[in-house]
Amino acid sequence: MIHQNRRKELLSKLDDNAVVIVSTNSEQKRNSDVNYPFRPDSSFWYLTGFIEPDAIAVFSKNNYTIFLKPKDITKEIWNGLRLGVEMAPKTLLANNAYDIDTFLDKIESLLTSESSLYFDAPGNIGWKDVSSTNKLNQSIALKFRNRTQLLDPYLSEMRLIKDSTEIQHMQTAADLASKAHMQAMIRTRPGLYEYHITAEFDTLFRKEDSEHSYPPIVAGGENACILHYNENNKLLNDGELLLIDAGCEILGYASDITRTFPINGKFSEPQKEIYEIVLKAQKSAIASIVPGEAVNKPHEVACDVITQGLIKLGIMDDASSLRDFYMHGTGHWLGLDVHDVGTKEINNTIRKFKVGMVTTVEPGIYIRKSDKVDSKYWNIGIRIEDDVLVTEDGHHILSKAAIKELEDIEQLMSQ
C-alpha cells in the first residue's frame, strides 16, 4: 500500500495526462557466468516495492501496468523463484502485468496523443542516454527521446523527505552500524591488518541479514588521508590512528558512519589536539541543523571551527589554506542511496532544512607529510560522521549510539 500511495502522490504533482515510466536495473556480469549481487534501482524500488531485475512500471491516474520476467521453471531451479506475470497484479496491486519482452509492442496502447510522458531509468541518467548497457532502455531512449520529460526533479523531492517507515529502517541501519563501529574499536590492536577489522563489519552485518551500503573504508595511519581509500589490506601500526567509514543497508535504506580512533587504544597529544578540533566542528555543525536553516550552514560552521583550530595550533596562517587540510563537504543527503537524491539549491537559492530530511555531518582534517607542518602532525587523518534526521524541534542523531567522545573511546578500547 505504501508504494501505491507514493505513486498517487507523485502523479498529483504532475499534469492530469501524465504517464510515468520507471525501470529497474539488469543484472551485471562480474566475470564468466557469475553476476554481481543484484540490487534494484532505488527510485523503481521506492515506487513499486519490486526487487527483481529487468522490470518496467508504467502508471497514470487510471492505470498501473508492470512488465517483468515471466515464470521459468528451469531458470528458477538455478536462480530462485520469480514472481511471474500471473501473480504480479495481486502482489504489486497493479491493473495489468505483461512479459517484459512485450514492452515495446504494448507501450503505445498505454499512451494517448495527449499523454505527457515522464521517465526515470537506473542511475537517474534516463533513457536519453542511448549508450545504456541495458538494451531495452537503449531502445526506449530512441523511441521516446523527443516525447519524454524528466521525472527526477519531482521524484527526488519526494524521496528527500522521509516518512515514519523510512526513518524506522534508517534508525535500524544506524544502530547496527554503530554496534559494528564499537566492536571494531574493541577488536583493533597493533599487528593486525586492516582487513581483519573489515571482517568485523562483514560478519556483524551478515549476521543481522544486512550488507554494506557502500564499500567500507578501513584506513590506518597515512591511509586515512586518502578520502576514498578502500584497499583495506595494510598493517595496523602502534601509535597510529584508524579511520573507519562504514555503513549498512536495511530494507534498502542506508547508514553512513565514520569513526577515528587510536590503534593502540590511547590518543597521543598531537592526535588529541586534531581530534578535538574535528569533534568540536562536528558538534557545532549538528547543532546548527534546525527546520528553516539553510542546508549549507553546517558546512560553514564546520569550516569556521576547523580554521580557528588549525590557526591556533600553528598549522595554518589563515583561512586561505583550509582546503589543504579539509577538502570535502560536511554532509550529503542519505536514504535509499548513501549519497541520496536531492539538490542543495532550488531556483538558484540555497534550500532550507525541512522535517524528514536526513543528512550526514562529517567534517575532517587530513595532514600529509609537508615541510609546512610540524612533523608531529604528519599522517593524522581524522573524520567523524553521523546521520542526522531533521525533526520539528531541531534534529535527532540516528547514529548517536556510536561513541565518539575521546575519553569514551579510550575507555571502551581498554576493555
Side-chain angles (χ1 to χ4, degrees):
M1 183 64 72
I2 190 172
H3 306 288
Q4 185 180 54
N5 291 338
R6 287 171 180 166
R7 294 192 297 271
K8 184 177 179 180
E9 180 183 350
L10 176 60
L11 288 168
S12 73
K13 301 176 185 297
L14 308 176
D15 56 76
D16 289 339
N17 296 318
V19 177
V20 175
I21 304 177
V22 290
S23 74
T24 194
N25 302 314
S26 297
E27 291 183 295
Q28 298 297 312
K29 180 177 288 189
R30 181 181 185 272
N31 63 301
S32 184
D33 59 349
V34 178
N35 293 328
Y36 285 105
F38 177 74
R39 185 189 187 280
D41 174 71
S42 294
S43 290
F44 182 86
W45 193 355
Y46 180 80
L47 290 170
T48 69
F50 189 49
I51 60 174
E52 292 183 18
D54 297 322
I56 297 176
V58 182
F59 57 92
S60 60
K61 288 187 175 180
N62 299 315
N63 182 268
Y64 172 33
T65 297
I66 186 86
F67 294 84
L68 69 165
K69 287 183 176 181
K71 300 285 286 184
D72 186 317
I73 294 176
T74 300
K75 290 185 178 180
E76 289 182 32
I77 291 173
W78 290 93
N79 300 318
L81 296 177
R82 294 178 182 177
L83 177 60
V85 172
E86 291 185 2
M87 291 297 298
K90 180 179 180 180
T91 304
L92 302 177
L93 302 181
N95 298 101
N96 302 289
Y98 301 107
D99 186 330
I100 185 68
D101 289 337
T102 69
F103 177 82
L104 290 176
D105 296 327
K106 293 185 178 295
I107 182 57
E108 290 292 354
S109 66
L110 301 176
L111 306 174
T112 68
S113 58
E114 290 80 28
S115 296
S116 298
L117 188 58
Y118 294 82
F119 72 93
D120 190 76
N124 292 319
I125 296 173
W127 294 329
K128 290 186 178 181
D129 176 22
V130 295
S131 65
S132 170
T133 56
N134 183 305
K135 297 301 181 183
L136 184 55
N137 281 347
Q138 192 177 70
S139 299
I140 296 168
L142 296 172
K143 185 178 183 67
F144 294 116
R145 66 192 312 169
N146 296 321
R147 292 187 59 182
T148 55
Q149 301 182 58
L150 289 173
L151 180 65
D152 182 61
Y154 304 94
L155 192 52
S156 293
E157 288 298 301
M158 285 181 58
R159 285 178 53 186
L160 188 56
I161 306 298
K162 274 61 179 180
D163 61 31
S164 59
T165 300
E166 293 176 292
I167 292 169
Q168 181 180 359
H169 295 332
M170 295 185 72
Q171 182 65 72
T172 304
D175 288 341
L176 178 56
S178 296
K179 180 179 178 181
H181 275 273
M182 290 190 292
Q183 181 166 297
M185 293 178 189
I186 294 172
R187 301 294 191 190
T188 296
R189 63 181 185 273
L192 296 179
Y193 282 80
E194 293 164 343
Y195 53 75
H196 289 126
I197 309 306
T198 306
E200 297 292 335
F201 288 84
D202 297 341
T203 301
L204 185 56
F205 290 170
R206 291 308 307 146
K207 280 184 176 179
E208 299 293 336
D209 194 25
S210 179
E211 58 189 33
H212 291 278
S213 50
Y214 53 94
I217 298 167
V218 182
E222 63 182 344
N223 298 329
C225 294
I226 303 172
L227 299 183
H228 286 171
Y229 174 82
N230 59 16
E231 293 179 12
N232 300 347
N233 61 4
K234 301 300 188 298
L235 183 68
L236 298 178
N237 297 309
D238 191 9
E240 295 183 337
L241 296 173
L242 178 59
L243 183 156
I244 301 179
D245 188 336
C248 64
E249 188 173 278
I250 299 290
L251 295 176
Y253 288 87
S255 56
D256 184 2
I257 303 173
T258 305
R259 292 293 185 264
T260 309
F261 54 91
I263 291 169
N264 64 13
K266 292 289 291 185
F267 288 92
S268 69
E269 285 306 313
Q271 291 168 353
K272 283 184 179 180
E273 291 173 340
I274 303 302
Y275 190 92
E276 287 172 346
I277 295 172
V278 177
L279 183 58
K280 181 180 179 181
Q282 202 226 16
K283 288 181 174 179
S284 300
I286 291 174
S288 73
I289 297 176
V290 295
E293 181 60 84
V295 299
N296 65 338
K297 184 68 173 180
H299 182 64
E300 292 178 348
V301 170
C303 287
D304 286 344
V305 173
I306 292 173
T307 297
Q308 294 170 18
L310 293 182
I311 290 176
K312 185 176 181 180
L313 291 180
I315 294 175
M316 288 184 355
D317 294 325
D318 54 55
S320 64
S321 302
L322 179 61
R323 285 193 63 82
D324 293 340
F325 306 99
Y326 179 36
M327 62 292 293
H328 59 77
T330 300
H332 54 78
W333 303 125
L334 185 68
L336 282 167
D337 297 331
V338 70
H339 285 187
D340 209 26
V341 295
T343 62
K344 292 295 180 75
E345 295 184 0
I346 300 179
N347 298 324
N348 297 318
T349 302
I350 297 296
R351 184 192 291 275
K352 307 292 186 182
F353 282 118
K354 290 184 177 181
V355 175
M357 292 177 172
V358 180
T359 182
T360 63
V361 181
E362 51 180 306
I365 296 176
Y366 314 90
I367 305 176
R368 298 166 180 79
K369 290 183 179 180
S370 170
D371 294 337
K372 299 178 181 179
V373 180
D374 190 322
S375 61
K376 67 181 181 180
Y377 297 116
W378 287 1
N379 297 328
I380 291 180
I382 295 172
R383 182 167 64 253
I384 305 171
E385 178 182 19
D386 280 299
D387 306 338
V388 182
L389 167 69
V390 183
T391 62
E392 291 184 0
D393 57 354
H395 60 265
H396 170 66
I397 303 174
L398 297 171
S399 51
K400 65 180 180 179
I403 63 172
K404 59 185 177 183
E405 296 295 335
L406 210 151
E407 297 80 6
D408 291 340
I409 291 174
E410 289 187 340
Q411 182 179 5
L412 178 66
M413 295 188 71
S414 71
Q415 300 175 17

